[in-house]
C-alpha cells in the first residue's frame, strides 16, 4: 500500500520497510538535539559519504562547518572549494570513482551548480546535492523559501533530465531522507536533490540516526577506478553519432519511468473524509498540519496531503483523493509552483486553489488559517 | 588636494554613518580611506560580502554615490559592463566629464570565486580600479577559510583540533597574480598607513586602464581579537613583513615601506585567537614553518623591488 493516513515519520518508516526493506526501525543512537543542517551532515557520514565539497552561503553554513570538523575525524574528505561551480564538479570527479559524494548550498549557489548537475545526470553519476533554500530571485534574502521548486523538480539545468527531489518536514526527516538520497543515487545512478529551507536547516530538534537496512545495490561496474586487467570504461554525456544521443536519452527516460513508478513517497493526514485537502511540503506542511487541527476542532472536514518526493510527484495519490475530496488547496512559500503539479494530477476534476507568499519570509498559521476559513465559507 | 589630516577631515564621506558593519570593522576603515582619495563623480561596484551586506540593506543604503551590486563572483564583470556603457554614452556625447569606477570585493569574492571575473576585466583593459579588502576569510557567512586565509588560522571550515592545526595551506599571492596581468598599476596597502594607502588610491585613479589595490583589513570577529586593535594589528602585519607595502607601476616593483626592524611573525600571531593553538609548545615547528614562509616571500619581494635586506637598520 503506497498511501496511508497516519503519523508521518512512523508511516514513512513502515512504508519504506514494507515496500523497500531499506530502513531499520531501531535507533542506533539516543536522540540528540541538532540543527537540520548538522543532521543532514551526520546522516550523510553515517550513510557512507566519503567526500563532501562545500562553499559558504547562508543559511546552510552549519552543514559545511559540521563536515569540516567531522569528516576528517572519520578519515573522510572535506574540501572547501573556491566556488559552487568547483564544488559540484569535485562531486563529479569523486563520483566517477564510485565514491559516495555530496555537496550542499542554498538557492543562488544551487543555480551555479546547475551545469554540473546536468552533466552528472547525463553521465549517470550518483550524487547528493542539498539545497537549504532561501528567498529569490537574484540575491533575494536569507529567509526560508520554497521558490526553487520548479528548478529542483524540472531538472534545473539544460537537457531532458530529472532528479529525485526529497523534501523533509522535520529535522528527523531531513536525516532520514539523507540516507535515502544516497541509496536512490546509487540505485538509479542519478544525482538526487534534498530540498530543505532556511528554517529546517537552522532549527534544532531531537534526531535519531536510523540506519537503513543494507540495500541490494548493484555493484558499481562502471567506475573509473583504473583499467588494469580489464577493458577501459567510458563515462560520458557526449553522444555524436546519429541516433546515439536519442538512445541514451531513451535509456534515461526509461529509468525515470521506473523511479516514478517505485519511488513516490508521501504522507496523508486526516484526508479520508476531508472535503478540502491542503497540499504542502517541507516546513509549510508543518504549518498546515496545525491549520488542519484547528479547523477540525470547529468541525470542518479538512485534511493535509504532503509530498515527500517532489519528483516523482505523488500524482496518482492525488488523483485517488479526487474521488472523496471536493477541493484542493496548495500552500507554498512561492507564488505558485507545486500548485501546477497538483493541477496536473487533479486534471480538471476538482477546483485547485492556491495560497502562498514569494518566500523569504515564513507563512504563519494565522494567515493560512484565515485564508482557508474564507475558502470554506465561500 | 594635499594629503594631510586637516584637508582629509574637510572631505565629505561617501559612505555615510549608520551602516551595519561591526564597531571596530577594519574593512569599513579601508573603504572610507580609499574614498577619501576620490575627487569628482565615482561609481562603485561591490561583490557580495560584508561591505555589501552591511551598507545596503534595501531599502536603506549608506552610499552617497551610485552603487551597483550583482552577485558574488562577478564584481569585475559588472564594473566592466558599467564602464563599457559609460564609454559608449561618452562617445555619443551623452555624458560629459570624467567618471571614475571602483570595484570592491572581499577576499572570498576576489581571491576565490571572483578571480576569473577580475582576471577578465584586467586583461580586457577596462578603465577601473579594483580594491580587494582582504580580511582573510569569508567573514560575512560566518568565518569560513578562503585562499587568503593564513597558514594554521582556525576558521569554521578549517577548525583547529588535536590532529589538524587549522588551515593547512598558505595563502595564495593574489597581488602577484594580478601583477602577471601586466596592468599599469597595482599595490598592496594597509589602512594603518593611511598616507601611503590613500596616496596609492589617488595615484591609481589618475592612471588610465585597469588598476588593483590589495588592502589588508582586520576582522576582530574572525581574527579573534579586540575591536580596539583593528588598526594596530594590521600595522603589526606590515612590521613583521607578513603584509609588505609595495606597488608595481608599469612593471616596476617598488617597496613603499621598509621596517626598521623586521619583527618575528609571532608578534602578529600571538594577539589573535585564531592562531592561539600555534603558541603551544608542540606547535613550535608550525610557527617556524610560518616564519620561514614569511622570510621567503619577503626575500622574493625584495629581489623584485631591488631592495636588499642590508637596508634593515637595527
Amino acid at each position: 500500500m503506497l498511501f496511508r493516513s497516519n503519523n508521518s515519520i512512523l508511516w514513512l518508516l513502515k512504508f519504506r520497510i514494507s515496500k523497500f526493506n531499506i530502513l531499520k526501525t531501531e535507533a542506533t543512537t539516543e536522540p540528540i538535539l541538532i540543527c537540520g543542517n548538522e543532521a543532514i551532515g551526520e546522516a550523510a557520514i553515517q550513510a557512507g559519504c566519503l567526500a563532501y565539497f562545500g562553499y559558504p552561503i547562508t543559511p546552510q553554513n552549519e552543514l559545511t562547518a559540521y563536515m569540516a570538523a567531522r569528516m576528517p575525524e572519520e578519515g573522510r574528505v572535506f574540501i572547501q572549494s573556491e566556488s559552487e561551480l568547483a564544488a559540484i564538479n569535485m562531486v563529479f570527479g569523486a563520483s566517477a570513482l564510485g565514491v559516495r559524494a555530496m555537496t550542499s548550498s542554498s538557492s543562488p549557489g544551487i543555480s551555479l551548480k546547475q551545469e554540473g548537475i546536468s552533466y552528472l545526470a547525463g553521465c549517470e553519476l550518483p550524487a547528493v546535492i542539498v539545497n537549504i533554500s532561501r528567498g529569490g530571485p537574484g540575491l533575494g534574502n536569507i529567509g526560508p523559501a520554497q521558490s526553487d521548486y520548479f528548478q529542483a523538480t524540472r531538472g534545473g539545468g539544460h537537457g531532458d533530465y530529472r532528479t529525485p527531489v526529497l523534501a523533509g518536514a522535520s529535522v528527523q526527516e531531513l536525516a532520514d531522507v539523507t540516507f535515502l538520497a544516497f541509496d536512490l543515487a546509487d540505485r538509479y545512478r542519478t544525482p538526487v536533490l534534498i530540498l530543505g529551507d532556511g528554517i529546517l536547516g537552522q532549527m534544532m530538534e531531537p534526531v535519531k540516526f536510523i540506519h537503513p537496512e543494507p540495500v541490494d545495490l548493484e555493484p558499481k561496474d562502471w567506475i573509473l577506478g583504473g583499467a588494469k586487467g580489464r577493458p577501459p570504461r567510458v563515462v560520458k554525456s557526449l553522444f555524436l553519432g546519429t541516433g546515439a544521443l536519442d538512445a541514451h536519452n531513451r535509456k534515461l527516460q526509461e529509468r525515470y519511468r521506473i523511479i516514478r513508478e517505485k519511488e513516490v513517497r508521501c504522507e496523508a493526514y486526516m484526508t479520508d473524509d476531508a472535503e478540502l485537502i491542503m497540499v504542502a511540503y517541507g516546513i509549510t506542511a508543518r504549518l498546515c498540519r496545525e491549520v488542519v487541527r484547528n479547523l477540525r476542532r470547529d468541525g470542518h472536514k479538512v485534511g493535509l496531503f504532503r509530498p515527500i518526493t517532489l519528483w516523482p510527484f505523488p500524482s496518482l495519490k492525488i488523483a485517488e483523493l479526487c474521488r472523496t475530496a471536493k477541493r484542493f488547496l496548495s500552500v507554498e512559500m512561492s507564488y505558485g509552483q507545486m500548485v501546477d503539479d497538483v493541477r496536473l494530477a487533479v486534471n480538471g476534476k476538482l477546483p485547485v486553489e492556491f495560497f502562498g507568499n514569494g518566500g523569504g519570509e515564513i507563512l504563519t498559521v494565522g494567515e493560512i488559517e484565515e485564508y482557508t476559513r474564507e475558502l470554506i465559507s465561500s | 588636494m594635499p594629503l594631510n589630516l586637516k584637508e582629509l577631515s574637510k572631505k565629505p564621506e561617501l559612505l555615510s554613518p549608520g551602516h551595519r558593519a561591526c564597531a571596530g570593522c577594519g574593512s569599513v576603515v579601508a573603504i572610507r580611506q580609499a574614498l577619501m582619495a576620490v575627487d569628482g563623480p565615482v561609481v562603485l561596484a561591490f561583490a557580495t560580502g560584508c561591505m555589501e551586506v552591511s551598507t545596503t540593506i534595501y531599502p536603506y543604503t549608506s552610499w552617497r554615490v551610485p552603487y551597483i551590486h550583482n552577485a558574488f563572483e562577478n564584481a569585475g564583470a559588472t564594473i566592466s559592463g558599467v564602464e563599457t556603457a559609460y564609454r559608449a554614452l561618452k562617445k555619443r556625447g551623452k555624458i560629459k566629464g570624467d567618471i571614475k569606477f571602483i570595484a570592491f570585493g572581499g577576499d572570498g569574492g576576489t581571491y576565490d570565486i571572483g578571480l576569473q571575473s577580475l582576471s577578465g576585466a584586467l586583461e580586457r583593459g577596462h578603465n577601473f580600479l579594483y580594491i580587494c579588502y582582504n580580511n582573510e576569510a569569508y567573514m560575512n557567512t560566518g568565518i569560513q577559510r578562503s585562499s587568503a586565509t593564513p597558514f594554521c588560522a582556525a576558521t569554521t571550515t578549517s577548525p583547529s583540533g588535536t590532529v589538524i592545526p587549522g588551515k593547512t595551506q598558505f595563502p595564495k599571492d593574489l597581488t602577484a597574480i594580478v601583477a602577471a596581468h601586466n596592468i599599469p598599476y597595482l599595490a598592496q596597502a594597509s589602512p594603518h598607513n593611511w598616507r601611503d594607502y590613500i596616496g596609492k588610491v589617488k595615484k591609481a585613479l589618475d592612471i588610465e586602464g585597469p588598476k588593483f589595490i590589495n588592502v589588508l583589513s582586520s576582522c576582530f570577529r574572525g581574527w579573534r581579537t579586540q575591536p580596539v586593535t583593528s588598526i594596530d594589528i594590521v600595522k603589526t602585519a606590515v612590521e613583521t613583513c607578513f603584509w609588505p607595502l609595495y606597488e608595481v607601476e608599469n612593471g616596476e616593483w617598488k617597496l613603499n615601506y621598509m621596517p626598521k626592524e623586521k619583527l618575528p611573525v609571532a608578534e602578529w600571531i600571538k594577539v589573535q585567537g585564531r592562531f592561539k593553538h600555534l603558541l603551544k609548545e608542540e606547535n613550535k615547528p608550525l610557527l617556524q614553518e610560518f616564519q620561514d614562509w614569511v622570510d621567503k616571500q619577503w626575500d622574493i619581494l625584495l629581489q623584485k623591488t631591488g631592495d636588499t635586506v642590508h637596508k634593515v637598520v637595527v
Side-chain angles (χ1 to χ4, degrees):
Chain A
M1 175 79 181
L2 203 65
F3 171 69
R4 210 172 290 163
S5 297
N6 212 325
N7 174 284
S8 68
I9 305 298
L10 279 177
W11 175 81
L12 179 75
L13 292 180
K14 277 187 207 156
F15 166 64
R16 285 210 219 142
I17 292 156
S18 57
K19 183 84 179 168
F20 301 113
N21 201 28
I22 56 170
L23 280 186
K24 268 196 262 183
T25 39
E26 69 268 18
T28 51
T29 55
E30 286 301 297
I32 55 169
L33 191 64
I34 194 168
C35 78
N37 284 326
E38 292 166 334
I40 293 172
E42 182 57 35
I45 289 168
Q46 295 192 23
C49 174
L50 290 188
Y52 168 85
F53 307 99
Y55 188 75
I57 187 168
T58 309
Q60 64 87 50
N61 291 311
E62 295 80 9
L63 177 45
T64 310
Y66 190 82
M67 295 307 248
R70 282 281 286 121
M71 290 293 267
E73 283 178 0
E74 297 286 330
R76 322 268 180 99
V77 180
F78 164 84
I79 288 182
Q80 185 187 318
S81 60
E82 76 276 18
S83 68
E84 286 91 347
L85 204 60
I88 190 72
N89 290 305
M90 289 177 188
V91 168
F92 187 100
S95 180
L97 268 77
V99 159
R100 280 193 160 180
M102 179 168 101
T103 184
S104 66
S105 192
S106 180
S107 308
I110 296 293
S111 291
L112 284 171
K113 289 186 196 293
Q114 291 304 329
E115 181 193 59
I117 298 172
S118 172
Y119 275 67
L120 285 162
C123 291
E124 302 168 76
L125 288 175
V128 175
I129 299 124
V130 182
N131 181 0
I132 300 300
S133 66
R134 59 188 242 184
L139 199 60
N141 68 11
I142 55 173
Q146 297 183 319
S147 41
D148 295 354
Y149 180 92
F150 281 152
Q151 186 197 52
T153 57
R154 266 61 181 171
H158 64 284
D160 202 351
Y161 74 94
R162 298 292 179 106
T163 55
V165 183
L166 309 176
S170 65
V171 176
Q172 177 66 59
E173 207 179 26
L174 283 183
D176 295 343
V177 298
T178 304
F179 285 109
L180 177 63
F182 280 99
D183 282 350
L184 289 180
D186 279 346
R187 186 180 308 149
Y188 295 104
R189 289 182 61 183
T190 175
V192 175
L193 260 65
I194 295 173
L195 187 61
D197 64 69
I199 295 229
L200 283 170
Q202 304 212 326
M203 74 182 190
M204 297 178 93
E205 288 183 321
V207 178
K208 283 184 183 178
F209 292 94
I210 303 159
H211 284 248
E213 295 264 337
V215 196
D216 292 333
L217 290 171
E218 282 176 29
K220 294 182 176 179
D221 58 359
W222 46 268
I223 65 171
L224 308 181
K228 198 173 180 185
R230 63 159 173 80
R233 294 167 181 158
V234 177
V235 167
K236 62 171 183 169
S237 64
L238 176 71
F239 297 90
L240 293 176
T242 309
L245 180 60
D246 192 53
H248 176 66
N249 274 323
R250 276 168 190 268
K251 181 176 147 197
L252 292 182
Q253 292 302 321
E254 172 58 16
R255 192 170 299 159
Y256 299 151
R257 189 190 62 75
I258 295 169
I259 296 174
R260 279 193 182 98
E261 197 179 292
K262 291 189 170 174
E263 303 299 347
V264 172
R265 282 157 175 83
C266 54
E267 180 207 1
Y269 176 67
M270 296 189 164
T271 54
D272 290 349
D273 63 339
E275 294 175 358
L276 173 68
I277 295 180
M278 305 175 85
V279 186
Y281 68 95
I283 193 72
T284 311
R286 301 268 291 256
L287 306 174
C288 290
R289 180 180 282 262
E290 197 173 330
V291 172
V292 168
R293 273 200 297 264
N294 292 346
L295 292 173
R296 282 272 172 181
R297 221 172 285 137
D298 296 345
H300 298 295
K301 288 184 172 175
V302 182
L304 169 66
F305 182 78
R306 180 171 75 89
I308 296 165
T309 51
L310 303 182
W311 192 89
F313 192 75
S315 307
L316 290 178
K317 295 298 119 196
I318 289 188
E320 271 175 36
L321 289 170
C322 286
R323 285 189 221 127
T324 49
K326 292 191 174 147
R327 190 148 54 161
F328 286 89
L329 166 63
S330 183
V331 184
E332 306 166 48
M333 283 192 288
S334 80
Y335 276 121
Q337 299 193 13
M338 183 180 69
V339 66
D340 284 10
D341 281 336
V342 180
R343 288 200 175 111
L344 284 169
V346 170
N347 201 15
K349 290 196 271 284
L350 294 172
V352 178
E353 312 290 343
F354 170 78
F355 182 73
N357 67 8
E361 280 177 52
I362 190 151
L363 290 165
T364 63
V365 171
E367 60 186 330
I368 300 171
E369 190 174 324
E370 194 186 322
Y371 180 86
T372 313
R373 279 182 193 278
E374 272 173 32
L375 199 63
I376 291 168
S377 60
S378 68
Chain B
M1 188 191 70
L3 251 185
N4 60 52
L5 288 174
K6 195 178 166 190
E7 289 303 318
L8 289 177
S9 69
K10 290 181 197 162
K11 266 191 80 81
E13 295 239 19
L14 304 186
L15 177 66
S16 59
H19 58 72
R20 300 187 188 188
C22 307
C25 171
S27 301
V28 169
V29 178
I31 284 165
R32 284 171 57 207
Q33 286 188 5
L35 297 177
M36 282 180 177
V38 176
D39 288 313
V42 65
V43 175
L44 308 179
F46 271 72
T48 304
C50 283
M51 290 300 99
E52 168 260 326
V53 164
S54 60
T55 62
T56 52
I57 304 281
Y58 190 80
Y60 306 105
T61 176
S62 309
W63 295 104
R64 293 187 168 125
V65 287
Y67 164 101
I68 186 168
H69 164 261
N70 186 355
F72 199 3
E73 72 283 9
N74 54 28
T78 306
I79 200 80
S80 296
V82 176
E83 190 262 353
T84 303
Y86 161 73
R87 275 190 289 125
L89 291 169
K90 199 163 182 185
K91 229 184 242 175
R92 282 158 186 75
K94 299 204 169 156
I95 291 181
K96 292 183 176 57
D98 249 8
I99 299 176
K100 305 288 187 196
F101 298 91
I102 308 178
F104 286 95
D107 49 299
T110 310
Y111 279 66
D112 284 352
I113 196 167
L115 185 59
Q116 177 177 339
S117 179
L118 170 64
S119 177
L122 297 176
E123 187 273 336
R124 286 187 302 270
H126 295 278
N127 187 19
F128 78 114
L129 167 63
Y130 193 106
I131 297 179
C132 173
Y133 62 96
N134 173 13
N135 54 23
E136 301 189 325
Y138 291 79
M139 301 309 184
N140 179 41
T141 44
I143 318 166
Q144 291 86 8
R145 60 89 86 186
S146 78
S147 58
T149 304
F151 181 58
C152 284
T155 69
T156 57
T157 55
S158 63
S160 69
T162 48
V163 178
I164 303 173
K167 193 187 166 192
T168 51
Q169 301 88 0
F170 286 96
K172 71 165 82 145
D173 189 349
L174 178 70
T175 317
I177 292 170
V178 172
H181 287 75
N182 297 319
I183 59 172
Y185 185 80
L186 64 115
Q188 243 180 225
S190 162
H192 86 275
N193 193 337
W194 54 269
R195 195 188 295 274
D196 173 77
Y197 174 38
I198 298 175
K200 282 171 175 170
V201 178
K202 226 174 163 53
K203 189 189 226 176
L205 288 174
D206 285 339
I207 294 170
E208 188 75 16
K211 289 84 58 177
F212 176 84
I213 293 174
N214 200 349
V215 57
L216 188 65
S217 314
S218 60
C219 169
F220 73 89
R221 290 284 298 112
W223 294 18
R224 302 291 181 216
T225 55
Q226 293 302 311
V228 288
T229 65
S230 288
I231 296 300
D232 289 344
I233 202 159
V234 285
K235 183 179 180 193
T236 315
V238 174
E239 296 291 342
T240 56
C241 299
F242 172 81
W243 191 258
L245 306 183
Y246 64 92
E247 62 190 348
V248 185
E249 200 173 348
N250 298 317
E252 290 282 320
W253 291 66
K254 186 181 165 197
L255 192 69
N256 303 116
Y257 176 75
M258 175 69 85
K260 282 204 174 65
E261 184 190 357
K262 182 173 171 239
L263 296 177
V265 76
E267 292 298 306
W268 182 62
I269 282 168
K270 71 182 184 189
V271 289
Q272 300 178 57
R274 60 176 171 161
F275 293 121
K276 77 171 180 225
H277 51 289
L278 264 190
L279 303 175
K280 287 182 191 158
E281 191 60 31
E282 67 264 28
N283 283 333
K284 265 199 167 158
L286 293 172
L287 188 59
Q288 188 57 48
E289 201 181 335
F290 200 139
Q291 182 64 57
D292 292 345
W293 179 84
V294 171
D295 293 346
K296 192 178 169 198
Q297 298 300 311
W298 177 243
D299 284 349
I300 292 169
L301 178 65
L302 292 186
Q303 281 168 27
K304 286 177 182 166
T305 60
D307 293 84
T308 53
V309 199
H310 303 296
K311 269 192 180 172
V312 179
V313 182
V314 182

